[in-house]
Amino acid sequence: MYPAELVKPMREDLTNVGFEELQTAEAVDAALAKEGTTLVVVNSVCGCAAANARPGARMSLQNAKRPTHITTVFAGVDREAVDKAREYMIPFPPSSPCMALFKDGELVHMLERHHIEGRPAELIAENLVDAYNEHC
């Protein structure tokens, strides 16, 4: 587990733009039980989260169509919540960072770490925007 003071600015990268932090399995279940679309960002301390994933997620929200709910869990910190979120992401293997779009609780789009690592934030945002335009 990472110290809270280490991950605070990484959490705030998303919460400052409206992402709801899910820190328990119950919170994940409740979030994914809501009607509409829900983006779940599995946040991470890794460099590709800082350079690509978080900026891409933030940029994607500039689109006219966007998820009804935007949420985040933090790998290596909110273990219970991350484990529960990953159950909803099956059949995709666990990875962090990653991003999943759900519609009425059903997984409709997934960005795994290998789709994020080494790709510019703009490309990640574009991928998410395409998913929003289709599902939101």
Side-chain angles (χ1 to χ4, degrees):
M1 300 300 269
Y2 297 104
E5 59 275 2
L6 173 74
V7 300
K8 185 178 186 281
M10 298 171 207
R11 286 182 185 273
E12 291 173 348
D13 248 0
L14 296 177
T15 59
N16 284 346
V17 296
F19 279 81
E20 176 189 1
E21 279 190 291
L22 307 175
Q23 296 181 312
T24 66
E26 294 79 18
V28 172
D29 284 337
L32 292 177
K34 293 178 181 176
E35 286 186 29
T37 50
T38 303
L39 178 66
V40 178
V41 175
V42 178
N43 203 347
S44 171
V45 299
C46 73
C48 65
N52 313 77
R54 292 190 300 266
R58 288 191 317 266
M59 281 184 227
S60 75
L61 300 178
Q62 302 307 309
N63 192 48
K65 287 187 175 184
R66 52 181 276 183
T68 313
H69 313 281
I70 53 174
T71 65
T72 182
V73 296
F74 208 110
V77 178
D78 304 321
R79 183 177 182 162
E80 177 187 328
V82 172
D83 288 348
K84 179 53 81 171
R86 286 178 172 159
E87 287 178 21
Y88 284 96
M89 296 174 191
I90 291 173
F92 295 95
S95 68
S96 59
C98 69
M99 302 178 201
L101 183 65
F102 296 86
K103 186 169 187 172
D104 299 326
E106 179 185 337
L107 180 64
V108 294
H109 186 76
M110 185 75 184
L111 270 173
E112 296 176 84
R113 180 186 176 104
H114 70 267
H115 297 124
I116 296 169
E117 194 171 30
R119 289 179 172 77
E122 294 81 8
L123 189 59
I124 293 160
E126 182 180 312
N127 182 295
L128 291 171
V129 163
D130 288 345
Y132 302 163
N133 287 340
E134 181 177 347
H135 300 287
C136 296

